[in-house]
Amino acid sequence: GKRLSGAPFCGMVTGRQPIKKEGILMRILSWCRANAVLSISLLAALITACIVPPDRDYAGYYDIKTLVCLFSVLAVVGALRDMQVFAALSQRMVRTFRTVRSVCTALVIVTMFGSMLLTNDTALLTFLPLSWFVLQATGQEKHAAMLFILQNCAANLCGMITPFGNPQNLYLFSFFNIPIGTFIAIMLPPFLLSTALILLCCLTFPKEALCVPEAVVTLEPRRAAAYGLLFCLAVAVVLRAVPYQTGLLIIVASLLILDRHALKTVDWGLLATFAAFFTFSGNMARIEPVRTLFRQLLAHGTMPVAALTSQVISNVPAAILLSQFTDDYPGLLVGVNIGGAGTLVASLASLITFREYTKHVKGQTGRFLALFSAVSFGFLAVLLAAMTFLTQ
């Protein structure tokens, strides 16, 4: 009798096992879709680790200074965002304008300057929600696609002028030990051209009058000042004015006291992506057929190869990979930065823009992608042609 009564129970457990496994599998697949670039980077690192087994040389793959600098900037910016500093500054700027064109242009410019200081992805995470708030409150949601796309271009292309504006800049600036004056001189021509193109596209917005809503944002002056000093310290670390070990210690200790939440909101996925691609690129550089292939490709011009490689694997991993095969850092810098335009995966930040748009606007994904491709590939074509002409 006990055996019979136990049989249905065992059958129930056995029957539920596949459901649990399917649930876990679905969660894993869902995580991979939400973290596509990180998933690909981990897979790439794992595959190359099978070809080049881990050894002592692995320790030399990782640019610790780059990871520390990126962490420092992301942590302090997270604290500033928690205080709504950027929202307050943006709202004050936007309230001074009264037409669709001027408001949209102001939002693009805010994103442009934000990317120079905060990194491109952080600028988009900060200012895209503000743009949607303004458009929705004024009944101008129809302009969301174009505004988001131009903000995306501003974040990806205008952040190129500073070493900490784009993650790939921070890596290359550190990897090649580029002097700040040299860095700015290299990036100034594509930056000026990108800025001119973006502002020219802003003229497509109508001069329709509107009332911009106001939102009350209160700030704590002392805390804001403290975070401002920490941000200056993070910038000093990036510019090699302060040892990165000292900067890391002060920033972490300060945020543990002032805002532990900022440390939790650091984009650890981006840091893990960097670490995984360090592994991938380090291993690829030790595979002789791969070394030969990339040397042959780069012999035809570092800049176009870097820009086109970015279209497939994104500009951050392209910078890490190609830096193993060339010393032409000016061409590599320009290539991976203008290569942020083009496909949706050319820059990690573009995926943020796509996610933010589809979250607010339903049923227009195809229209958005078509407009995004037209604008972004147009920027890429113009920038590639212009920079090729200037470097001849």
Side-chain angles (χ1 to χ4, degrees), residues 15 51 141 171 245 311 313 333:
I51 301 172
E141 295 95 330
Y171 165 71
Q245 301 93 332
Q311 303 307 304
I313 65 172
L333 260 176

Side-chain angles (χ1 to χ4, degrees), residues 99-134:
T99 67
V100 173
R101 179 182 296 178
S102 60
V103 166
C104 289
T105 302
L107 288 165
V108 170
I109 291 174
V110 166
T111 307
M112 185 185 299
F113 281 100
S115 69
M116 298 177 196
L117 299 174
L118 318 176
T119 74
N120 53 359
D121 54 346
T122 303
L124 290 171
L125 287 170
T126 301
F127 299 121
L128 287 177
L130 175 67
S131 296
W132 178 252
F133 167 77
V134 172

Side-chain angles (χ1 to χ4, degrees), residues 116-351:
M116 298 177 196
L117 299 174
L118 318 176
T119 74
N120 53 359
D121 54 346
T122 303
L124 290 171
L125 287 170
T126 301
F127 299 121
L128 287 177
L130 175 67
S131 296
W132 178 252
F133 167 77
V134 172
L135 292 177
Q136 187 179 47
T138 56
Q140 300 293 334
E141 295 95 330
K142 59 186 177 182
H143 299 296
M146 189 62 177
L147 177 56
F148 276 31
I149 290 168
L150 289 181
Q151 285 182 281
N152 184 78
C153 291
N156 284 329
L157 297 175
C158 295
M160 72 170 75
I161 195 63
T162 61
F164 39 82
N166 293 329
Q168 69 272 11
N169 283 2
L170 200 151
Y171 165 71
L172 293 174
F173 182 75
S174 174
F175 183 81
F176 289 106
N177 200 29
I178 307 171
I180 183 63
T182 303
F183 180 94
I184 293 175
I186 293 169
M187 301 312 302
L188 191 59
F191 166 76
L192 292 176
L193 179 56
S194 299
T195 302
L197 290 172
I198 291 168
L199 294 179
L200 187 63
C201 288
C202 288
L203 297 177
T204 60
F205 294 111
K207 286 187 175 181
E208 182 179 347
L210 51 76
C211 293
V212 182
E214 297 190 9
V216 178
V217 178
T218 57
L219 297 176
E220 299 178 39
R222 291 183 180 179
R223 189 177 290 265
Y227 291 160
L229 291 174
L230 288 179
F231 182 76
C232 291
L233 175 60
V235 171
V237 170
V238 172
L239 297 179
R240 300 188 282 268
V242 174
Y244 70 87
Q245 301 93 332
T246 303
L248 176 65
L249 181 63
I250 294 174
I251 288 171
V252 171
S254 299
L255 291 180
L256 282 174
I257 298 171
L258 297 171
D259 186 0
R260 294 188 179 185
H261 179 260
L263 295 174
K264 295 179 182 178
T265 58
V266 167
D267 190 347
W268 296 102
L270 180 60
L271 293 170
T273 299
F274 261 78
F277 271 113
F278 282 141
T279 305
F280 169 71
S281 60
N283 285 336
M284 291 287 279
R286 294 171 64 184
I287 302 172
E288 191 55 39
V290 173
R291 294 173 64 90
T292 302
L293 172 63
F294 274 102
R295 282 171 179 165
Q296 291 174 346
L297 289 174
L298 291 167
H300 297 287
T302 303
M303 185 189 66
V305 171
L308 295 176
T309 304
S310 299
Q311 303 307 304
V312 181
I313 65 172
S314 186
N315 53 6
V316 172
I320 297 173
L321 176 61
L322 296 180
S323 66
Q324 308 299 315
F325 303 98
T326 181
D327 293 325
D328 179 18
Y329 65 81
L332 186 54
L333 260 176
V334 174
V336 294
N337 274 281
I338 66 176
T343 64
L344 193 64
V345 298
S347 170
L348 304 179
S350 297
L351 298 175

